């Protein structure tokens, strides 16, 4: 019988979205942005995490003010999560191969 392996990328994206859903975007935060750490005042991606966090809370206007592309980024992340989840969990169901459904010992008579 096949053991299902959950891709690490799926775990990372789901964990990241859960973290954004339960974090408080209005509070100060730790950043790993290399441009912000280098001292640049503006980064094209700054505010994207806050925007997604506000979106997940249903605060549309604050999301748009944080970063206009937050909705687009969230849709891309959800699409990727869906693709990874489909590959990880539907491989046996979506396959046309009989041996994926039944152990090979049962097919031999």
């Amino acid at each position: 019988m096949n053991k299902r392996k959950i891709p690490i990328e799926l775990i990372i994206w789901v964990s990241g979205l859960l973290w954004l859903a339960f974090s408080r975007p209005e509070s100060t935060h730790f950043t790993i942005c290399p441009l912000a750490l280098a001292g640049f005042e503006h980064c094209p991606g700054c505010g994207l995490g806050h925007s997604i966090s506000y979106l997940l809370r249903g605060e549309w206007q604050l999301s748009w003010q944080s970063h206009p592309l937050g909705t687009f980024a969230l849709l891309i992340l959800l699409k990727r999560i869906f693709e990874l989840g489909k590959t990880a969990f539907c491989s046996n169901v979506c396959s046309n191969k009989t041996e994926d459904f039944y152990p090979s010992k049962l097919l031999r008579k």
Side-chain angles (χ1 to χ4, degrees), residues 46-109:
C46 282
L48 203 52
H50 284 149
S51 179
I52 292 172
S53 185
Y54 284 128
L55 269 176
L56 294 173
R57 295 169 177 270
E59 299 177 17
W60 310 103
Q61 187 174 6
L62 288 173
S63 171
W64 181 264
Q65 290 172 354
S66 294
H67 201 292
L69 295 177
T71 305
F72 183 66
L74 180 61
L75 290 174
I76 289 173
L77 290 174
L78 291 174
K79 181 182 183 297
R80 184 64 182 154
I81 288 170
F82 178 75
E83 289 173 349
L84 290 168
K86 184 178 174 185
T87 302
F89 299 110
C90 275
S91 61
N92 290 346
V93 176
C94 300
S95 176
N96 292 328
K97 296 179 183 178
T98 308
E99 55 270 359
D100 286 345
F101 290 104
Y102 304 104
S104 58
K105 292 180 182 179
L106 293 177
L107 292 176
R108 296 183 208 142
K109 293 183 179 183

Side-chain angles (χ1 to χ4, degrees), residues 3 7 9 11 15 18 22 27 32 34-35 37-38 42 46-48 54 56 58 68 77 79 82 105-106 108:
K3 286 188 177 182
E9 184 183 356
I11 295 169
S15 299
L18 285 173
F22 294 109
S27 64
I32 58 171
L35 293 176
L37 293 174
H42 180 71
C46 282
L48 203 52
Y54 284 128
L56 294 173
L77 290 174
K79 181 182 183 297
F82 178 75
K105 292 180 182 179
L106 293 177
R108 296 183 208 142

Side-chain angles (χ1 to χ4, degrees), residues 6-27:
I6 300 174
I8 189 72
E9 184 183 356
L10 178 62
I11 295 169
I12 290 170
W13 289 129
V14 171
S15 299
L17 285 182
L18 285 173
W19 179 71
L20 286 173
F22 294 109
S23 68
R24 293 179 22 189
E26 60 275 354
S27 64

